[in-house]
């Protein structure tokens, strides 16, 4: 069982917008502005798409955006494209007890 | 180019030891906290351990505490993970990753991991 809760799967059609959720607690997601999201295509290396809740690394498409409300963080992908089909993991700073928490991952399918 | 290159993975018997290395290039290594993350094929990402830029802060997942030791040599731009008392359940691909924050000298606050190595496979089996 992962520390952060993500839906196992989400699907959408090309051009649509979808939102992935990531639920933690008031000790991690709710307490810090330190949530990050990773895109992982099987067989490849994970790629950072959002850091510090809503910042995009250089080179990441502006179709990716992040937000947080209370203990739940969200990743929104707009204008869905076939290449967005991948596993997405959220992560949060966990405080002094455990530095890094991951969600179990959400498999995004582009129909 | 900013790059991380892991090595040291392999096949080891339960109870054995391995030492992973991760050589960094293209950035000021000591400015960044570094993290080891592992993934069992077909499963999710799992935090293993992390270390601050100067090496003064070291952190571990409960599952490896007391068995794994993280360290770094900033003069060699190299991160290490010494793994002892290995168990079958430690079998995974191990990635090293760089924290995006440029002031992680004393503590690791996990802002986000923006550069990942290609991974090295550790197999624990008799």
């Amino acid at each position: 069982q992962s520390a952060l809760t993500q839906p196992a799967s989400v699907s959408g059609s090309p051009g649509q917008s979808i939102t992935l959720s990531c639920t933690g607690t008031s000790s991690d997601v709710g307490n810090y502005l330190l949530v990050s999201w990773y895109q992982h295509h099987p067989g490849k290396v994970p790629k950072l798409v959002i850091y510090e809740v809503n910042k995009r690394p250089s080179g990441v498409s502006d179709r990716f955006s992040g937000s947080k409300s209370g203990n739940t963080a969200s990743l929104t992908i707009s204008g869905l494209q076939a290449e967005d089909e991948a596993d997405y993991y959220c992560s949060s700073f966990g405080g002094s007890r455990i530095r890094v928490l991951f969600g179990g991952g959400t498999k995004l399918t582009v129909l | 180019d900013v790059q991380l290159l892991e090595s040291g993975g392999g096949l080891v018997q339960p109870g054995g030891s391995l030492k992973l290395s991760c050589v960094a290039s293209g950035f000021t290594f000591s400015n960044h906290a570094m993290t080891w993350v592992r993934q069992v094929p077909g499963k999710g990402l799992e935090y293993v351990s992390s270390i601050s830029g100067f090496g003064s802060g070291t952190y571990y997942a409960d599952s490896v505490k007391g068995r794994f030791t993280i360290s770094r040599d900033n003069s060699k731009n190299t991160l290490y993970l010494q793994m002892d008392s290995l168990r079958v359940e430690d079998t995974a691909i191990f990635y090293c990753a760089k924290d995006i924050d440029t002031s992680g000298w004393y503590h690791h606050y996990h802002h986000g991991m923006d550069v990942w190595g290609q991974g090295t496979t550790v197999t624990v089996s008799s």
Side-chain angles (χ1 to χ4, degrees), chain A residues 37-111:
Chain A
W37 289 87
Y38 304 85
Q39 178 190 63
H40 192 196
H41 290 104
K44 297 202 169 181
V45 173
K47 176 185 177 183
L48 178 69
V49 294
I50 292 289
Y51 68 102
E52 293 176 6
V53 175
N54 56 14
K55 298 179 181 177
R56 267 189 316 275
S58 173
V60 171
S61 170
D62 60 5
R63 297 186 298 106
F64 291 85
S65 62
S67 63
K68 188 183 79 150
S69 177
N71 298 337
T72 298
S74 300
L75 174 70
T76 298
I77 308 173
S78 60
L80 208 56
Q81 299 178 0
E83 68 209 46
D84 298 331
E85 185 164 294
D87 297 319
Y88 289 84
Y89 295 91
C90 65
S91 184
S92 174
F93 177 62
S96 59
R97 198 190 75 77
I98 181 165
R99 250 35 199 180
V100 178
L101 300 170
F102 280 108
T106 296
K107 181 176 181 58
L108 171 63
T109 300
V110 180
L111 301 170

Side-chain angles (χ1 to χ4, degrees), chain B residues 6-22 36 38 48 60 64 67-71 79-88 90-94 119-125:
Chain B
E6 302 105 334
S7 62
L11 174 64
V12 63
Q13 291 189 334
S17 298
L18 274 179
K19 186 172 186 176
L20 306 183
S21 299
C22 170
W36 288 99
R38 67 185 179 185
V48 175
Y60 300 91
V64 306
R67 301 188 299 121
F68 290 11
T69 303
I70 193 171
S71 62
L79 172 73
Y80 302 100
L81 185 68
Q82 175 67 45
M83 304 186 295
D84 299 319
S85 303
L86 281 161
R87 304 168 180 167
V88 171
D90 294 318
T91 295
I93 300 169
F94 281 72
T120 187
T121 299
V122 171
T123 303
V124 185
S125 174

